[in-house]
Amino acid sequence: MRVLRALFIALLTAFAGCILAFFVGDYLTKLAHVPEMEGQRGMTVFFVCVPLGLLAGLVIGITASILVRRQGPAGFLVAQGWSLLVLCGIAGLLGGVPYLLSDKPPKIDGKRLELEFELRAPASFKIPKQPNGYSIRVSLYTDNRQSDYAFIDWNSITKDPEHVIIPGKIPLLTHSKTRSLLASIGNEPVASQFVELKNLPPAPRKENEAWSDWIFATERADLTPIPDLERFALRYRVHPIER
């Protein structure tokens, strides 16, 4: 009978562990800025966090059922209650401690910030008429690590005989010492170019809400030089997000 009780408590706690692990894993992967590219963050949650939650629930449930020696329905409820309490406590610690130690998003006047930019490319780069998430991509790199993709404002793209101007924006989530944008137009990897945001401080200030001067791409994604006729240019500013 005790074995049956232990198994039932372990299964219920494991089920609760799966649910908690999903939400905690989703939160922690966002906090750690795990890239969304190719489903990295989703796979981390489902194939790492959820199995760990399942295992933790099984261990906690079995341990609680062994330590609580009280018999009958009352013993079952006490053991189940302790196992869920311990599980929730661990989940709270796993979520709370990293939050306290994490790098919080920079703010101006108490408001979170996003980076607005205008990407200027030579007119030789063809832009499709319909929105296409693969033909134009801009991603933010913080401390040499990709963080997220920018939103491209397709309706505001403008063209002239020499250039095409592509506006977009992306949230600033960390006080990173170095930031750069990797811009790609077309499906060829060699078309990707890095633009370093050297004058953007880790904690942007009010003066950074004004548009910067145009800055030019420094190198391709494969670190090769860029011919002048193919070089991107970019200007940017920070903008408080109204909530």
Side-chain angles (χ1 to χ4, degrees), residues 150-242:
F151 167 79
I152 301 299
D153 188 357
W154 282 81
N155 294 327
S156 300
I157 293 177
T158 58
K159 300 178 183 179
D160 60 40
E162 296 182 352
H163 302 106
V164 55
I165 306 295
I166 304 166
K169 58 186 178 181
I170 188 169
L172 294 177
L173 301 177
T174 63
H175 293 77
S176 301
K177 294 181 179 179
T178 62
R179 297 185 180 98
S180 60
L181 291 176
L182 178 64
S184 304
I185 299 178
N187 295 320
E188 293 296 328
V190 294
S192 301
Q193 301 181 18
F194 275 109
V195 182
E196 296 184 18
L197 311 179
K198 291 183 177 180
N199 295 324
L200 183 62
R205 301 179 290 271
K206 291 288 290 186
E207 55 263 33
N208 298 120
E209 293 184 37
W211 284 105
S212 70
D213 295 328
W214 288 99
I215 52 179
F216 293 90
T218 54
E219 58 191 7
R220 297 189 190 277
D222 59 3
L223 306 183
T224 58
I226 308 168
D228 288 340
L229 294 178
E230 299 178 12
R231 193 182 300 273
F232 296 161
L234 182 138
R235 67 174 186 163
Y236 65 88
R237 66 178 179 179
V238 297
H239 178 70
I241 302 174
E242 299 292 340

Side-chain angles (χ1 to χ4, degrees), residues 24-207:
V24 172
D26 180 66
Y27 168 74
L28 291 179
T29 51
K30 288 180 179 177
L31 196 65
H33 310 300
V34 176
E36 300 279 0
M37 185 175 60
E38 297 179 351
Q40 292 183 45
R41 196 174 72 83
M43 288 191 291
T44 302
V45 172
F46 281 103
F47 296 111
V48 177
C49 300
V50 170
L52 287 176
L54 174 66
L55 180 61
L58 286 172
V59 172
I60 293 171
I62 292 173
T63 303
S65 64
I66 292 174
L67 293 178
V68 175
R69 298 185 176 277
R70 190 171 178 178
Q71 301 297 317
F76 170 81
L77 293 175
V78 170
Q80 186 66 75
W82 273 111
S83 63
L84 292 176
L85 183 63
V86 171
L87 184 67
C88 291
I90 293 174
L93 287 174
L94 289 175
V97 173
Y99 173 78
L100 294 175
L101 300 177
S102 67
D103 181 11
K104 309 299 188 299
K107 296 181 179 180
I108 294 179
D109 296 333
K111 298 177 181 178
R112 291 192 178 188
L113 306 174
E114 62 184 7
L115 182 73
E116 293 186 353
F117 62 85
E118 289 184 346
L119 176 67
R120 188 176 72 191
S124 56
F125 285 86
K126 303 301 180 183
I127 307 298
K129 294 182 179 180
Q130 297 297 324
N132 185 327
Y134 294 98
S135 60
I136 302 177
R137 302 178 305 281
V138 179
S139 55
L140 177 66
Y141 275 71
T142 55
D143 297 329
N144 298 318
R145 178 183 176 186
Q146 186 184 39
S147 59
D148 205 354
Y149 284 103
F151 167 79
I152 301 299
D153 188 357
W154 282 81
N155 294 327
S156 300
I157 293 177
T158 58
K159 300 178 183 179
D160 60 40
E162 296 182 352
H163 302 106
V164 55
I165 306 295
I166 304 166
K169 58 186 178 181
I170 188 169
L172 294 177
L173 301 177
T174 63
H175 293 77
S176 301
K177 294 181 179 179
T178 62
R179 297 185 180 98
S180 60
L181 291 176
L182 178 64
S184 304
I185 299 178
N187 295 320
E188 293 296 328
V190 294
S192 301
Q193 301 181 18
F194 275 109
V195 182
E196 296 184 18
L197 311 179
K198 291 183 177 180
N199 295 324
L200 183 62
R205 301 179 290 271
K206 291 288 290 186
E207 55 263 33

